[in-house]
Every structure is written in structure tokens, then in C-alpha cells.
Amino acid sequence: ETGVTQSPTHLIKTRGQQVTLRCSSQSGHNTVSWYQQALGQGPQFIFQYYREEENGRGNFPPRFSGLQFPNYSSELNVNALELDDSALYLCASSYGGRGSSYNEQFFGPGTRLTVL
Amino acid sequence: AQSVTQLGSHVSVSEGALVLLRCNYSSSVPPYLFWYVQYPNQGLQLLLKYTTGATLVKGINGFEAEFKKSETSFHLTKPSAHMSDAAEYFCAVSRDSSYKLIFGSGTRLLVRP
């Protein structure tokens, strides 16, 4: 069983540029959540996708957007990068479904984004 | 609204000593509670979780935590620290197991030889 994978592992961009981060969910999972972890802080929820539709969003501006594909992999896009966007971006996959009880989120290793 | 407070950004213990990492939460609904561990340059690994039922929860690597509703706490303990336990630990709360996790700011555990 393949775990959650993310690409790239590291990325350096300049202010104003756009970036796309990718996540492959664990086999059998249909839900992907994205988190931003700034240096020295806990992860903050960006948004979640369930069966290709956004299923909740945290306090992030619209320049943070996402997609989920039919194979349940996902992308996080950030436009007009700012210095404060420098962080570790974590993806977590889980199996969600109506009436399901507990569904653990499995995290990938993250993408380290540096904005100069 | 839900929130998590982790007391102590750094905790230092000697190898073999008791580990106690503190977590208090705020939640308007019955919470799901989690402890995650993060090793350098890695993602998060689930140590243990509380959903419903027994309030004393046992996890991996000898860790356990007790849900105390009256104190709104979910402290993490381990009887005897090992050098390999040195890492960052995060407490998290959720209203649902697969919905968004609200994390605390983390506690870095240092283990002295």
C-alpha cells in the first residue's frame, strides 16, 4: 500500500510568482486536506476536497486554490506569492463518507516552499 | 469554534524520566482529540486519538493520553523517555475525524542522555 506522496520536496519562488504543489493520496482514500505549517508553528487548515469538490475552507485568501482529480490526487495552487507564504505545505488523505465514524488522516512529508 | 493550547514550547527531560506534554482544548461540540509527532524534515505521524468511549487512550511507542472533559485537557504522557522520542509534538482537535484538524503550536521534546 502506497502512502501519501507530495511533489516537489523543495521549491524556491520569488514574490508575485505562482506555484503548484501536488499530492497523491493513499490508495482507497477519497478525501484530501491541505495544511500550511509556518516555521515554529502548528499546521493550519487551508481546505479539504471530498470527491473532487471543496468540502470546507480555512481562513486563507482566494489566491489559495485547489483541485482534486478523479483519481483523488490533488493540487494546491497559490497565486501572487507573498513572503509570508514561505512554509511547509502538508497534504493529508483519508477516507470520508456519509455515516462513517472515524477516518484517520494520513500525512505526506510536505513541500517546503521558500518565497524570496 | 475550536482551539488548542499547548503549554510549553520546549520540554526537556532526561532519558528514562517521565514525559508530560500538556494540551488544553476548547470546543463547542464533543471533540475528537489527537496527538501527532513530527520528526525533522518529515510529515506528521499519528500517535494516538480520542473519539468516544474510554478516556485513557494508548498509542504507539508507549505513549498514552487521558481525556478529561471537566478540565478540557488531553495531556500526553510516557513513563520513560527514550532518546528517539526527541521530536515536535502537536495536539489537535476536530469536530469530526476526517474534517479539519485544529492544531496547537507544538511542543519540542528534548531528551538528555
Side-chain angles (χ1 to χ4, degrees):
Chain A
E1 185 178 274
T2 306
V4 179
T5 60
Q6 293 186 243
S7 62
T9 54
H10 295 83
L11 202 53
I12 299 175
K13 291 285 188 179
T14 56
R15 197 169 44 182
Q17 285 189 310
Q18 178 266 341
V19 68
T20 297
L21 310 181
R22 295 178 174 83
C23 171
S24 290
S25 57
Q26 186 163 313
S27 177
H29 288 180
N30 57 10
T31 303
V32 173
S33 304
W34 285 92
Y35 295 83
Q36 180 196 65
Q37 185 180 14
L39 198 62
Q41 297 182 24
Q44 291 195 30
F45 176 76
I46 304 175
F47 44 57
Q48 182 183 81
Y49 279 83
Y50 169 64
R51 291 187 173 181
E52 303 179 58
E53 292 191 2
E54 190 176 286
N55 184 44
R57 188 180 182 92
N59 189 26
F60 281 81
R63 59 190 186 83
F64 284 79
S65 62
L67 280 174
Q68 188 179 30
F69 300 100
N71 66 355
Y72 303 126
S73 64
S74 177
E75 285 183 354
L76 165 64
N77 299 289
V78 187
N79 294 322
L81 283 167
E82 300 177 0
L83 297 180
D84 285 349
D85 295 334
S86 294
L88 180 68
Y89 288 85
L90 295 165
C91 163
S93 76
S94 58
Y95 176 78
R98 300 218 190 301
S100 58
S101 55
Y102 174 69
N103 300 298
E104 178 183 341
Q105 294 189 37
F106 291 83
F107 283 81
T111 294
R112 172 78 60 189
L113 173 65
T114 302
V115 182
L116 303 176
Chain B
Q2 296 180 308
S3 66
V4 173
T5 301
Q6 291 185 242
L7 281 175
S9 59
H10 292 78
V11 169
S12 180
V13 301
S14 298
E15 191 174 19
L18 171 71
V19 175
L20 171 60
L21 304 182
R22 299 178 186 274
C23 172
N24 287 89
Y25 71 91
S26 171
S27 179
S28 57
V29 298
Y32 286 62
L33 293 160
F34 308 82
W35 275 99
Y36 284 86
V37 62
Q38 186 176 37
Y39 296 99
N41 301 314
Q42 294 187 28
L44 302 175
Q45 180 183 11
L46 181 67
L47 278 177
L48 50 79
K49 61 188 183 288
Y50 169 79
T51 54
T52 58
T55 57
L56 182 63
V57 179
K58 295 187 184 299
I60 62 172
N61 301 337
F63 285 95
E64 63 181 37
E66 186 171 9
F67 169 60
K68 292 187 176 181
K69 184 178 179 180
S70 61
E71 298 177 9
T72 60
S73 69
F74 191 58
H75 302 330
L76 181 71
T77 61
K78 181 174 180 177
S80 177
H82 192 273
M83 296 297 290
S84 61
D85 294 328
E88 186 93 23
Y89 291 80
F90 293 96
C91 181
V93 65
S94 174
R95 74 171 198 210
D96 173 274
S97 56
S98 63
Y99 196 59
K100 68 177 179 181
L101 293 165
I102 308 297
F103 286 89
S105 56
T107 298
R108 182 167 297 279
L109 177 65
L110 307 171
V111 182
R112 304 185 303 271

